[in-house]
Amino acid sequence: AIARAAARAGADVALTWRSNEAGASAVAADIRATGRRAAILRADVGEADDLDKLRDFLHDALGGGDGWVNNAG
């Protein structure tokens, strides 16, 4: 819901997933259907190496990031 709301407000969105690629892909497809960009990456935000990978991914896929929402359970 958070990612979709951000896209409706005009944001491009990067999504990370650890175990539910299908769910992340479905949300990304919904976002793209609104005309916004969406990118997904498998990452565990509790791992420093994955955070470095995420930083690089954000830069390459979306030109960087302006905000962060951590919604990990």
Side-chain angles (χ1 to χ4, degrees), residues 17-51:
W17 60 276
R18 191 173 67 166
S19 62
N20 187 2
E21 182 178 12
S25 293
V27 172
D30 289 349
I31 290 168
R32 290 182 191 116
T34 70
R36 303 308 309 172
R37 295 183 299 165
I40 64 169
L41 174 72
R42 185 188 184 286
D44 181 343
V45 297
E47 298 292 329
D49 288 343
D50 280 7
L51 289 175

